[in-house]
Amino acid sequence: MTLYFSNICSLFDDLHSPVLLQAERHRVYGLREARLVLGLKRSLGLGISRVNDLEGYKTAGNGDLGECVERVIASGGPPALPEVTIDEVDRALHAVAEDCRFSTPSVRTLPSPDEATASLFHLFPRLSPRSAKWLVRLVLRTAVPLDEATVLKSTHFLLPDLYRFQQDFGAAVALLRGHLSRFPPKPDALSEVLLREQASTLLRPAVGVKVGRPTFHKARSIQHCLQLTGKRRWSVERKYDGEYCEVHVDLERGLQNCIQIYSKSGKESTADRAKLHGTLRECLRIGRPECKFEKHCILLGELVVFSDLESQILEFHKIRKHVSRSGSFIGTGADSQAHLHEHLMIVLFDLLLVDDDLVLARPLEQRRARLREIYFKKRGRAVSAEWRVIDFAAGGAGKRLIDHLAASNAARCEGLVLKPCDAPYFSLSDQATKGLDGFIKVKKDYISGLGDEADFAVIGASYDARQTQKNGLQTIKWNSFHLGCLTNKAEVLRSGMRPIFRVVGTIKQDHCIPRPVLERANELCAAYGLSEHGRCSARSFDLTADSNMTMGMTLAKPFVFEVLGSSFDKPANKGFYMLRHRRVRKLHEDRSWEDCVSFDELQKQANEALSAPASSESQEVLLWIDKIEKSCKRKLDRASCQTTPQSVKTLPSPVLSRRSVHKKVSCVIVREDTAEHLEDPAKRVRLTAARRPTPGSPLADVPNRNRQSTTCLRSSIVEMDKVEVTEDRQKAIGPTDHRLISTIQACSTIDRPIASSVSHHCFLSKAVVYLRLSECSEKTKGTLRKLTAHGAQVIDDLSHWDRDSFSHPKLTDTVSESQAYGDRQKIVLCDPTESGGTLQECLDAVKGLNGGKFRERIEFYDLKIVDQLDCTTIAGEDSNRDAAQRCYLGVVSYDEDTGMMSFIDHR
């Protein structure tokens, strides 16, 4: 039976509620309006007047290019014969995709470019006007009014969900022909519910085919999030600002080609992410006896860029320097070169398949436990996501959620993702009686008053026919608005100099501008708009913009948009920061463009939002808690989840107490990934900020109840447990001077506010320093005061480092060594000239950690570096670097090949 393309197009026009059809992921056509117009002009033999009609899509009111093509072909007589079939259209589109290098490798064969495009344009003379319209829209991937779920369900009731699960039509049909072949295609309603539950247990992902993601729901407030969670247990996971990665490993394809990586959109990006392959082979032990699987596995993670120099995850835009797009590095024109200390890191957060073990059918907590067994951690290369479990049936859940969101914001993460602990990764069963289906995203820009925002001057506008087609607003003349920032604001306000605006971005109508704002903006554009070719003298300002940027018109008098964004980012080929994921909140007619953010103010705001907090992280958490609570329409009940019981000592960071020395005592430490083992909620203790802010500090006005109940999540969102430090363990570390401990406690506090004069370019400001001194003297006190001024964190013993996380046995009290001040560089200060061999004693203590298998880098410096560093000015950065080189004694590092620690002497 021959199926003609016109039959499908008639279905498109008969449906009146447009729904976007998910585009075929593997094909990329690379054709835009300009190339389509040129090809149609030749294939249809159009004259000048009909070409002008074809280009009418550039003007509002004429519709998109598809509608213009429909009118032009309708005016040229009946189409030629024979009629075009669906197979001809599919072959032509596939030929075009084969020629585009951005298509997936399985599609590309690189035919002749002329033949590829010619096969498509040769179809248009044989198409009816309506069919030509929809073919243009298919190529441009604008709007296709077809509900794919309705069409697929008409074939089989499971097909829509199976297509969502595997994201490949062939793989979805293969499931129906395999394990699900006995299921009837159209059962009654009651049977459908039961059959879905049975089918969920039979779902098995195919290695080499992208697995679909669960539905994500946006929490618009804390109250809304609590409504979505219900009374279930949820895992609260930090959302890292990176690129989604789905890693498929198939050892049956051979060790060299066993890795396949898929992006969030479903495209295969294995070659583009080649710099990650080495990390994956090492952390999964591929090709080694320690590998935990025999055939294949599927893992999920987030791709980020990590800096060894700064010991932290870098900003999102750094990724484009390390990840190509179909072999090309796009958007890096204004970026610096990739540095040697920057490299890709994967943050793993889920496991779906291991050999014949169908892990994705298990609850989240079991999937995480299995994930820990599969891979080996490597700091800065492969780590696990930070998480914690909250029981929303218990009291104080809302307060704990606020604490975690505040800690995430203070750590400059993107937000939180909540995942139900009792649910599989993907389910076909009816969730109406089981609770919410999918995950919950909580981000600061979703909640009113918490996102990054600024007022921008709208200096011009343009028209994009594709935006109108998607939203159905045919009467809108301008739907893309160009934002500008003054580069000479001080001169304009002081002396009335002619304003100079720099174009910093564009906001389009699609989901970013409320309809009332869009309509009012069009009225203002009609009143103050100038043509694209209008004289500059007609404007009240000058413009600085990219040479490749075009505006439909500029404004004689700019108006003001209040713009909300999700943090800041450097746009492609731009050397400045701009709001990310920006959308318009309001149009302010009571504000002048002179009140808008200037270019320098915008860059300062971005730097403050992206850099480490000026105060300590715990203070930043308190400030965020206050902001979140003020954003709530009603205060949450925090009484049921207040401070830790008095019998349990609380610490300002996830480490052992300094008082945990000679005697056998109980203390609170961080234990990574053990939330599922703490069955008794009474045993779960909360880490609180114990220090009261000094008078006049930024926290002086924060409510006292916030200060008492803040959860300090400096390095991870994990559950707490109790362990013991024995006398034998203390003896292994070395003797302790009680007077020295008292001096350290008096001179150094973990949550102290760092003075505004301290430069955070001082490397000690991000370090935890083990200080080995023989006596408590005025010299010792002076040294401690100087270290505190530099922003360093001082410890008096190494007991909290003596834990091996890499063997990581389950259900034990083993604590991750990387969780002991995990966000800080570890440094030992000693005097190599002092009698008693202090340096050698420190080396012996460090090299004895974890039985000689401590796997983190520890640097040794001469104590005199404290007097040689300049911590007050950024200008002292170069001299600090020289001082660090002079005082650098060496480094203790772990050799993966020999399995031992060694000291590399740099003296």
Side-chain angles (χ1 to χ4, degrees), residues 63-336:
D64 66 335
L65 179 58
E67 294 180 70
C68 294
V69 170
E70 182 180 30
R71 289 193 295 267
V72 168
I73 292 182
S75 64
L81 295 175
E83 189 173 352
V84 177
T85 65
I86 289 248
D87 290 337
E88 287 182 283
V89 172
D90 184 65
R91 286 195 298 268
L93 292 177
H94 191 80
V96 175
E98 284 179 326
D99 181 50
C100 183
R101 62 190 179 95
F102 293 103
S103 297
T104 57
S106 60
V107 173
R108 297 197 303 266
T109 59
L110 299 179
S112 170
D114 295 334
E115 294 179 2
T117 55
S119 63
L120 174 66
F121 289 117
H122 287 167
L123 298 178
F124 281 93
R126 296 163 49 201
L127 289 173
S128 67
R130 179 172 56 188
S131 299
K133 173 181 68 176
W134 288 114
L135 180 55
V136 167
R137 289 178 175 176
L138 282 172
V139 173
L140 294 177
R141 288 180 172 172
T142 51
V144 179
L146 181 65
D147 187 350
E148 63 180 13
T150 301
V151 175
L152 296 178
K153 192 171 183 179
S154 65
T155 302
H156 197 289
F157 79 103
L158 288 176
L159 191 54
D161 292 319
L162 295 179
Y163 181 60
R164 184 166 60 93
F165 169 61
Q166 282 286 237
Q167 297 197 339
D168 183 274
F169 189 75
V173 173
L175 287 173
L176 288 178
R177 292 175 176 173
H179 297 294
L180 306 177
S181 60
R182 294 176 296 173
F183 285 66
K186 296 181 180 180
D188 60 86
L190 181 60
S191 299
E192 182 175 327
V193 174
L194 299 176
L195 291 172
R196 283 182 178 277
E197 292 185 1
Q198 296 177 20
S200 295
T201 63
L202 299 175
L203 287 182
R204 182 177 185 85
V207 178
V209 180
K210 171 76 167 59
V211 180
R213 305 174 73 207
T215 304
F216 282 82
H217 306 271
K218 295 182 180 180
R220 298 299 181 182
S221 65
I222 297 299
Q223 292 91 336
H224 183 217
C225 186
L226 295 178
Q227 294 172 3
L228 295 174
T229 57
K231 300 299 182 181
R232 303 163 69 185
R233 294 176 70 246
W234 290 74
S235 170
V236 180
E237 184 179 288
R238 283 194 178 175
K239 190 176 188 304
Y240 296 86
D241 195 6
E243 292 186 356
Y244 176 87
C245 273
E246 183 174 305
V247 180
H248 293 227
V249 181
D250 187 359
L251 298 181
E252 296 177 349
R253 298 180 55 184
L255 296 180
Q256 297 300 321
N257 302 312
C258 62
I259 295 177
Q260 288 179 286
I261 304 177
Y262 295 89
S263 64
K264 182 168 64 174
S265 65
K267 290 187 60 177
E268 184 182 347
S269 57
T270 306
D272 289 334
R273 299 177 179 183
K275 293 183 179 180
L276 189 62
H277 295 185
T279 296
L280 292 172
R281 294 179 185 277
E282 186 173 351
C283 75
L284 295 175
R285 299 297 195 261
I286 295 176
R288 298 169 62 175
E290 308 96 286
C291 185
K292 301 296 184 180
F293 56 94
E294 297 178 356
K295 295 183 293 184
H296 43 239
C297 70
I298 300 177
L299 307 100
L300 305 182
E302 195 79 7
L303 179 70
V304 296
V305 176
F306 187 86
S307 170
D308 291 328
L309 180 63
E310 302 177 42
S311 189
Q312 65 181 10
I313 296 174
L314 300 182
E315 301 158 26
F316 176 78
H317 71 268
K318 299 285 187 179
I319 295 178
R320 62 179 175 236
K321 297 192 297 184
H322 299 268
V323 176
S324 62
R325 311 297 173 187
S326 295
S328 299
F329 290 91
I330 299 174
T332 60
D335 295 338
S336 60

Side-chain angles (χ1 to χ4, degrees), residues 388-426:
R388 186 176 181 181
V389 172
I390 294 181
D391 186 354
F392 285 87
K399 188 262 178 245
R400 289 194 291 274
L401 178 62
I402 291 177
D403 287 346
H404 289 305
L405 180 58
S408 174
N409 293 341
R412 303 305 189 254
C413 290
E414 195 175 3
L416 301 175
V417 177
L418 278 63
K419 304 177 180 179
C421 295
D422 57 352
Y425 180 79
F426 197 95

Side-chain angles (χ1 to χ4, degrees), residues 618-635:
S618 60
Q619 290 179 336
E620 184 85 357
V621 171
L622 290 174
L623 294 175
W624 271 110
I625 286 179
D626 192 50
K627 289 180 182 179
I628 297 171
E629 287 192 330
K630 287 180 179 179
S631 70
C632 296
K633 295 181 180 179
R634 59 180 176 85
K635 293 291 182 180

